[in-house]
Amino acid sequence: ADATANDSTWDSSSPHSDPYGVMTGTSGDYFSTPDSATLDITGDIEFIVRVALDDWTSGGVQEIVNKDPGGAASVKPYALYMISGTMYMYGVNESMSFNESSTSAVSFTAGSTHWIRVTRESTGGLINFYTADDQVAIPTSWTQLGDADVSGGDSGALGTDTTVFEFGTHQLGIHNRSAGKLYRGLVYDGIGGTVAVDFNPNDYTG
């Protein structure tokens, strides 16, 4: 699935050689893709995002990847967000929940561009957080952020639902809005597996 903007959030200064979408931080502006079977990832999962946050260490919640209906829903498939430079991965199904964080925080300069990556193994519930210096291509070498194999013992399958998938916001751009530039965003079904979502401004033709 290709994630697209719900509004004109493409910056006219975005270079053709390295385009980006603007996460405005304004309520109602968001990048999304409709629910589909491709997004029903229940086993291992991987997120890879190239992003420049206006404030990497903001104390507020900055949503990066979100498929979570919020509220009292019994299933909240998966989400990646940041608080004060710490990455968190979150998920809930009807029998298990987890909300694990990296044991170290990033200290990136405000507005600087970096790659971030998170993986979760279904068996054992092991979560790993990584970063990489900026480059156009998806990195092949990553630096572990904090401890390896973070787990609260919450192993097992992720849940599935019909929620819209979003980058940079939660609940259709209303909550946990990130501000900055989104250059690339991928979700894989499996670690190094099949691409389920690919936000790539190079594909934008509007």
Side-chain angles (χ1 to χ4, degrees), residues 87-90 98-102 118-121 124-130 144-145 147-152 154:
M87 285 192 246
Y88 292 78
M89 185 178 177
Y90 173 73
F98 62 90
N99 190 25
E100 305 298 338
S101 65
S102 58
V118 180
T119 63
R120 180 183 185 268
E121 300 174 33
L126 303 178
I127 299 172
N128 284 276
F129 302 89
Y130 306 90
Q144 188 95 37
L145 181 64
D147 295 342
D149 296 337
V150 175
S151 174
D154 305 309

Side-chain angles (χ1 to χ4, degrees), residues 2-25 29-32 50 167 180-185 198-206:
D2 293 325
T4 57
N6 79 308
D7 199 357
S8 298
T9 53
W10 301 95
D11 194 313
S12 60
S13 65
S14 174
H16 293 296
S17 60
D18 195 15
Y20 53 79
V22 178
M23 298 184 296
T24 65
D29 287 355
Y30 58 97
F31 297 99
S32 69
R50 183 186 179 210
F167 279 114
K181 300 171 182 176
L182 180 61
Y183 289 86
R184 191 78 186 270
D198 186 359
F199 172 86
N200 187 352
N202 285 291
D203 295 337
Y204 181 65
T205 57

Side-chain angles (χ1 to χ4, degrees), residues 143-180:
T143 299
Q144 188 95 37
L145 181 64
D147 295 342
D149 296 337
V150 175
S151 174
D154 305 309
S155 61
L158 299 171
T160 63
D161 74 349
T162 59
T163 306
V164 169
F165 175 94
E166 297 172 66
F167 279 114
T169 56
H170 181 206
Q171 293 182 300
L172 304 182
I174 297 174
H175 300 296
N176 303 347
R177 300 184 299 273
S178 297

Side-chain angles (χ1 to χ4, degrees), residues 25-193:
T26 300
S27 182
D29 287 355
Y30 58 97
F31 297 99
S32 69
T33 191
D35 177 62
S36 69
T38 303
L39 298 170
D40 290 340
I41 302 170
T42 57
D44 297 352
I45 193 170
E46 178 176 16
F47 308 135
I48 295 180
V49 181
R50 183 186 179 210
V51 63
L53 294 178
D54 289 351
D55 183 356
W56 280 97
T57 57
S58 169
V61 178
Q62 298 194 89
E63 211 75 46
I64 306 296
V65 172
N66 186 278
K67 195 176 193 303
D68 171 6
S74 61
V75 175
K76 302 177 180 181
Y78 46 83
L80 163 64
Y81 63 94
M82 300 189 71
I83 302 175
S84 301
T86 298
M87 285 192 246
Y88 292 78
M89 185 178 177
Y90 173 73
V92 176
N93 67 24
E94 292 175 339
S95 60
M96 170 275 293
S97 68
F98 62 90
N99 190 25
E100 305 298 338
S101 65
S102 58
T103 58
S104 296
V106 304
S107 55
F108 301 147
T109 302
S112 61
T113 306
H114 301 270
W115 288 89
I116 59 177
R117 175 181 175 230
V118 180
T119 63
R120 180 183 185 268
E121 300 174 33
S122 183
T123 302
L126 303 178
I127 299 172
N128 284 276
F129 302 89
Y130 306 90
T131 66
D133 291 338
D134 187 42
Q135 60 184 50
V136 174
I138 299 172
T140 56
S141 178
W142 297 88
T143 299
Q144 188 95 37
L145 181 64
D147 295 342
D149 296 337
V150 175
S151 174
D154 305 309
S155 61
L158 299 171
T160 63
D161 74 349
T162 59
T163 306
V164 169
F165 175 94
E166 297 172 66
F167 279 114
T169 56
H170 181 206
Q171 293 182 300
L172 304 182
I174 297 174
H175 300 296
N176 303 347
R177 300 184 299 273
S178 297
K181 300 171 182 176
L182 180 61
Y183 289 86
R184 191 78 186 270
L186 300 111
V187 178
Y188 295 86
D189 187 347
I191 299 172

